[in-house]
Structures are given as C-alpha cells and as structure tokens.
Amino acid sequence: MEDTTHYAPLLSDSDDGNPVVSPRRFEKRTSIFYLAIIASQTLLFLGFVAFNWSTYTKSNSAACSQVVYSPLQHLLEYKPVLYSNGLRDQMSVYQGEPSREVDQAWEDLYNDFGISAIPKEQAELLDNKTIALPNGKHLVEISVFHSLHCLNTMRKALRADYYTDPATGIIVGFDSEEKLQEHISHCIDDLRRSLQCGSDVSAIVWHNVPGKKSPQPSMDIVHSCRNFDKIADWAKKHRVVEF
C-alpha cells in the first residue's frame, strides 16, 4: 500500500534556485538556540549561588571558629540577646544591695561547675598541657567561669561593709589585705584581656533625650552573644567536685 503521509522538506528552493531553510527546520534551530541560552543562564545562576554560599559559609565559620583548640568549640553558636541598661527598673538579679539572693545568682553562674575534666584525647589537642587526674581525665577551667569568679570577687570588694569577715577584718576568702588587693589587681587585668579578646562589636546607638544638651548612649540594644547556656550545660556534665 502506498504511503501517502506528507513530510515537509528540510530544504526548499527559492525563486532564484538557491536552497532555503524550511520553517520546520528554522523552528528547530531556534529552539536549540534558546535552550542553549537558558542552560548557560542556569549554569551562571548556580555558579553565583555556589560562590555566595561558599563566601557566607567561610565568613560564618570564621566568626564562630576557635584558632586555639577548645573542647567546647563544637558547641559554639551565636544568638541575639537584648541587653537592659541596668538602671532603676531595669536592674538584673545580679545587681542591687548585697543579699543572699544576689549572692546565689552569682554563685549559680559558675561556682558548682567551674572546674572540668576532659578525656585524654581532648587534652592532647590543647595548646597548653594540663595535669591528669587519678581517673585518667585531665583538669581544665573554661576561661569564662574564671572571669565570672573574678568579677564576683570585685563586686564583693566594693561592698566590704557586707562581705568582710568579722574575725579577720578582710573580705571573706582572703587571709590578708595584701592578698585581696593582689587578687583584685589580677582580676581587673583578666577582665581587660577578656573584653579585648571577645571584642563585642555590637553597635551602641545614641538618642536625643529631653532635658539633655547632648545625645546620650542607649545601652538597651541587641548584642550578638555566644550561647552561654550551652557552655554552662557542658561544664555541668564535665564538672569536677574534688581533686
């Protein structure tokens, strides 16, 4: 049986005898051309996304990384924290007149878990070597807890009227005024180093305040802070009671 299906020729002759591309072939070439453009634009877009993601990842990891090994570095994360100005009705539990409640708030920040024990394989990664305990673990103190202890000591020294031991006449925990002053000097410099090391770059803003001749700083701003709760949780799990 004769096939009567009509196929459009790919080439046809023009009036002057020269072959020309048929509409069907022209449409095919046009489709390929546009597909090539779409593919190239897609590749460019994916490359742009990959580059920016790589840049973001590097900058983010750089912000969170430790250049000196810490057994807690895998826990480091940042979160926004709104500071209060610490004045009048915005005072925290760590402020105000000395009391058992204020003392307990400070003690809860570090006292029961400030000294930690880590396994040998982690201790070997430290830049500075530390001693081993009888159980084979190694002794460390995470710096933030030492700084909190220092700040608490300075807080007590400012209110000697409340914290002086009646028996010695010296702030509780010290056996001489010389030792107290030496420790206070140590703590002031430790906190200086800690502040410079952490270098909080959150921006304090300024406002015009009625009744003030010049703009005033506003301390109740959002800061980018390491998650202290995670650090404290780690320390509680690794705390050393006696050594």
Side-chain angles (χ1 to χ4, degrees):
M1 184 175 180
E2 183 179 358
D3 186 2
T4 58
T5 304
H6 176 71
Y7 295 95
L10 296 181
L11 292 176
S12 62
D13 293 332
S14 63
D15 294 339
D16 59 3
N18 294 320
V20 297
V21 178
S22 69
R24 181 181 175 188
R25 188 160 189 176
F26 177 77
E27 290 175 2
K28 183 177 181 181
R29 288 184 177 180
T30 302
S31 299
I32 294 173
F33 175 72
Y34 281 117
L35 284 173
I37 291 177
I38 292 171
S40 63
Q41 289 179 334
T42 302
L43 289 173
L44 285 172
F45 173 76
L46 292 175
F48 174 79
V49 171
F51 173 79
N52 281 276
W53 176 253
S54 174
T55 302
Y56 167 80
T57 303
K58 288 179 180 178
S59 63
N60 192 51
S61 67
C64 299
S65 66
Q66 284 280 118
V67 294
V68 175
Y69 173 76
S70 168
L72 287 86
Q73 61 191 36
H74 65 290
L75 295 176
L76 295 183
E77 67 176 26
Y78 286 81
K79 65 177 184 178
V81 176
L82 176 63
Y83 280 25
S84 67
N85 61 29
L87 300 172
R88 295 179 291 277
D89 60 341
Q90 293 193 42
M91 293 174 65
S92 73
V93 297
Y94 308 103
Q95 297 177 266
E97 288 296 308
S99 66
R100 289 185 179 181
E101 291 73 22
V102 172
D103 288 348
Q104 190 61 54
W106 278 92
E107 295 292 325
D108 288 345
L109 287 175
Y110 67 89
N111 195 51
D112 291 335
F113 53 88
I115 310 296
S116 306
I118 59 174
K120 179 181 178 181
E121 55 269 24
Q122 290 185 337
E124 290 176 343
L125 297 174
L126 296 173
D127 281 45
N128 305 287
K129 301 310 173 187
T130 189
I131 64 170
L133 298 169
N135 62 6
K137 292 190 175 182
H138 288 65
L139 202 61
V140 294
E141 180 179 9
I142 303 305
S143 185
V144 63
F145 302 124
H146 173 259
S147 294
L148 286 169
H149 152 74
C150 265
L151 188 57
N152 195 24
T153 301
M154 293 170 61
R155 178 187 71 89
K156 290 179 178 180
L158 289 172
R159 290 302 304 269
D161 58 318
Y162 184 89
Y163 293 104
T164 295
D165 185 343
T168 63
I170 308 297
I171 296 293
V172 175
F174 296 91
D175 55 14
S176 71
E177 181 67 24
E178 182 182 4
K179 289 289 185 182
L180 171 63
Q181 294 304 321
E182 181 183 50
H183 197 75
I184 293 297
S185 178
H186 152 77
C187 282
I188 290 173
D189 205 48
D190 176 82
L191 291 171
R192 174 194 63 80
R193 289 192 299 255
S194 181
L195 289 169
Q196 287 185 283
C197 181
S199 292
D200 185 355
V201 294
S202 305
I204 295 173
V205 297
W206 291 67
H207 293 145
N208 290 316
V209 179
K212 298 288 185 179
K213 293 182 179 180
S214 59
Q216 300 296 308
S218 177
M219 308 304 293
D220 46 352
I221 63 168
V222 176
H223 291 247
S224 178
C225 301
R226 281 182 174 175
N227 191 330
F228 179 80
D229 292 337
K230 280 198 170 184
I231 296 171
D233 287 344
W234 179 94
K236 290 172 184 176
K237 293 176 183 176
H238 296 80
R239 65 181 168 183
V240 175
V241 179
E242 295 181 358
F243 59 89

